[in-house]
Amino acid sequence: MMQKQIDSLFSLWQEGVCPGGQVLVRQKGQLIYDRTFGYADVEKRIPMTHDHVFHVASISKQFTAMAILLLWEDGKLSLEADIREYIPDLVAFSEPMPLWTLLHQVSGLRDMLELMDDSGVRNVDTITQEDIRTILAHQKGLNFPPMSRHAYCNSNYMLLAEIVERVSGKGFNEFLRERIFAPLGMDSTVVRENYWQFIPMRGVSYWDNGTEYFHCVLNYGNYGTTSLHTTARDLMKWMENYRNPIICKPETLERMLWVPTLESGEPTNYACGLRVDTWEGHRYLKHAGEDAGFRAYVLRLLEEDVDIVIVGNTANIYDEATAFNIARIVLGMPVDIKPAPAPSVADFDESDAPGFYYSRLPDGFNLTVTKKDGVLYGTEEGLWAPLTRLEGDLYRQGHLRQWYRLGEHAPLFSNDEMELKLEKAYEGPLTAEQLAGKTGRYESREVDTAYEVRQKDDRLWLWHFRRGLKPLYPVEGDLFVTTYSRTCFVRFVRNEQGVVTGLTLSGNRVQELPFAKI
């Protein structure tokens, strides 16, 4: 009965030749669910096995955190020390920054991947550790003062990996292999330190647009924040260390699960590469991993001694919602399947559907809808998908549990894990006041690139030589919104005389990155 219930949560991984994943569930040390689904390589028709290795993205952060804590346990570093003590060449900002603030995502650092995006690097480009070192070493500003806020940031864990290498005198993968992988018997686990690195039994990443599959390219050669490659069975060995610490002292594990309080007194829930909190009275630790089409999730219910590991090569299963539904099944609770949202307009005119939709920060979601040959298509990050009308202004993206309300009235994006209110951008001509003084070239030394603002047909456009020409949609006043691979808010900056002297770019994890008008 339990197996059938859990199987049903993975129905999209059982539809013929399709991507899928590995799923393990353990209760009180005993494996109670152990399945593989789909294909590790769809083109070559290679079925998924327990031996296939997958990129698990931000699950990597737990291992980086443990590496830091092992060096702390060895007495080789201080968590209270300013990071300049270990990586002085990578710090250009003036604020003091204790090492522990990186572990708990309260440092205020700008996110490295959004900085690369702002510099013109595309998602399909190669990104190396040296690329990240270079761009972070040029950052003179922070998103906020350390300890004043919590904000998820990949830069924190890349810099922690750098500290591990410099303090230990060993390569990052070498250190993790000696201190973590080998002692735990994680024989299939490796850190991908270069994008050209050969990894036996590596699965292929796919994007599911709701009707067909596409390659989802991942060329990362950076590590610390990502690039761990492993299997669900190896990850379960890692989860065992939370039950019975083998590679560290019990007090080190306690420090791993500690969560700080901000200077304001506001609590946080981010420990060391883990979120630690309570769900319906059950204390848990968890973390997700998402890069390209790869998805991974680990969940442990601490008092109930339940561990859940999901690793997959496509993003059509919402891992967090699925993991917690597995937990419900194991605990004898009813499964919680989120219903589709209701339409807001019954007699919707579909000609109002096409356009650019966005959400405000910190969510920063965007969607472009177009109509071709009578069919509506939506795109996220340049990947197009047909949309099926259900009723009124409500649409679904193929077989995915992903819905959109379109049009001016109450646009919305919804899936099993979130619901975001959207705004539909104005695409008409701008006023003379909105246009005045904004065209020109804008440069930033922090990301070593330039943008041009151009005027065409009473509209403003943002141009970058690697990204091309994108429309700037007015939001309010001097604030506009556009998209490259992420939602980007562009704010024009004026001097005391009201003259435009620059602009800033803001996304989910980089705020107010300054560019000067030349």
Side-chain angles (χ1 to χ4, degrees), residues 174-439:
E174 180 186 6
F175 183 85
L176 264 61
R177 186 175 65 249
E178 291 180 2
R179 298 294 298 272
I180 300 176
F181 304 156
L184 293 179
M186 299 176 67
D187 299 330
S188 298
T189 302
V190 65
V191 175
R192 190 187 191 200
E193 296 178 309
N194 298 290
Y195 63 85
W196 58 80
Q197 187 172 332
F198 178 76
I199 298 176
M201 297 295 290
R202 185 157 62 97
V204 180
S205 162
Y206 297 94
W207 180 63
D208 179 2
N209 76 348
T211 58
E212 57 183 319
Y213 299 104
F214 302 90
H215 271 299
C216 206
V217 177
L218 181 67
N219 285 334
Y220 286 174
N222 58 279
Y223 50 88
T225 191
T226 189
S227 294
L228 185 77
H229 283 62
T230 188
T231 66
R233 287 184 171 177
D234 269 13
L235 279 179
M236 194 59 87
K237 295 175 183 177
W238 165 251
M239 299 300 284
E240 175 65 21
N241 195 68
Y242 292 123
R243 298 179 73 243
N244 176 31
I246 297 170
I247 60 172
C248 64
K249 297 176 182 178
E251 53 265 36
T252 301
L253 187 59
E254 289 179 12
R255 181 59 183 80
M256 179 96 172
L257 302 184
W258 176 79
V259 293
T261 299
L262 299 179
E263 288 183 337
S264 64
E266 180 183 352
T268 67
N269 68 0
Y270 203 91
C272 291
L274 293 163
R275 295 192 185 275
V276 179
D277 213 328
T278 301
W279 161 76
E280 299 195 13
H282 305 281
R283 189 164 176 261
Y284 66 77
L285 61 83
K286 68 174 185 178
H287 212 284
E290 301 180 2
D291 278 335
F294 294 115
R295 293 294 183 270
Y297 202 88
V298 294
L299 170 65
R300 173 167 173 75
L301 304 183
L302 293 163
E303 281 77 23
E304 293 76 12
D305 196 9
V306 172
D307 296 295
I308 298 166
V309 175
I310 303 172
V311 177
N313 62 339
T314 191
N316 57 15
I317 299 291
Y318 296 100
D319 291 334
E320 178 156 295
T322 303
F324 277 97
N325 270 325
I326 292 173
R328 286 177 174 275
I329 292 169
V330 173
L331 298 179
M333 301 165 62
V335 171
D336 182 18
I337 303 296
K338 184 179 177 182
S344 65
V345 178
D347 56 346
F348 180 63
D349 182 353
E350 192 163 277
S351 65
D352 187 38
F356 180 77
Y357 298 81
Y358 65 95
S359 66
R360 303 287 181 112
L361 298 178
D363 302 306
F365 175 86
N366 73 80
L367 172 76
T368 300
V369 177
T370 60
K371 195 168 190 176
K372 181 180 179 181
D373 299 328
V375 177
L376 283 181
Y377 292 85
T379 181
E380 298 174 54
E381 299 190 9
L383 301 171
W384 291 90
L387 303 178
T388 302
R389 187 173 184 176
L390 300 180
E391 55 177 320
D393 57 352
L394 184 64
Y395 292 76
R396 183 171 178 172
Q397 188 173 324
H399 59 219
L400 302 180
R401 292 184 53 78
Q402 190 159 299
W403 300 274
Y404 304 93
R405 281 206 309 246
L406 302 178
E408 299 278 358
H409 182 67
L412 182 81
F413 167 72
S414 178
N415 62 29
D416 282 340
E417 295 179 350
M418 70 174 69
E419 187 168 285
L420 295 177
K421 292 182 179 180
L422 305 179
E423 298 177 47
K424 188 179 183 187
Y426 171 74
E427 299 187 56
L430 302 181
T431 66
E433 182 180 359
Q434 288 174 311
L435 293 168
K438 295 184 175 72
T439 58

